Amino acid sequence: MNNENPNEVTITTYDKIMCAWHSCMHLTKVFENQFHETSDDNPAKKLFEEAANDMGKHAAAFREWLLTQQKGNSK
């Protein structure tokens, strides 16, 4: 906590990673929906698929970091 202003909220790295994980999961779902709603003959369909896969990979990495932190703090 900041001693200069006791009403200030401290945002930790854990908080930031949690937010990033949540955002990536949301974007993964958005891109998956766009993929499914785009016709097969539309070149954008592949872009949505790639974006969903990329965001899913990022979400998995953030989740792994969070789980590692939880395990380390439970000892």
Side-chain angles (χ1 to χ4, degrees):
M1 182 182 272
N2 187 341
N3 291 335
E4 295 177 22
N5 184 354
N7 294 321
E8 189 170 322
V9 174
T10 301
I11 299 174
T12 66
T13 299
Y14 188 91
D15 298 330
K16 292 174 185 178
I17 297 290
M18 179 71 78
C19 183
W21 175 52
H22 182 267
S23 295
C24 285
M25 289 191 312
H26 173 73
L27 284 172
T28 299
K29 291 176 185 175
V30 167
F31 292 139
E32 284 177 344
N33 287 340
Q34 293 298 329
F35 169 79
H36 291 297
E37 293 173 2
T38 303
S39 63
D40 289 340
D41 62 339
N42 189 328
K45 186 169 184 114
K46 179 125 178 91
L47 288 174
F48 289 126
E49 180 182 32
E50 291 171 357
N53 288 334
D54 289 346
M55 280 297 119
K57 289 175 188 174
H58 292 300
F62 287 130
R63 182 180 182 274
E64 188 62 34
W65 188 93
L66 291 166
L67 291 173
T68 299
Q69 293 301 305
Q70 285 181 348
K71 289 176 188 173
N73 291 332
S74 66
K75 293 180 181 178

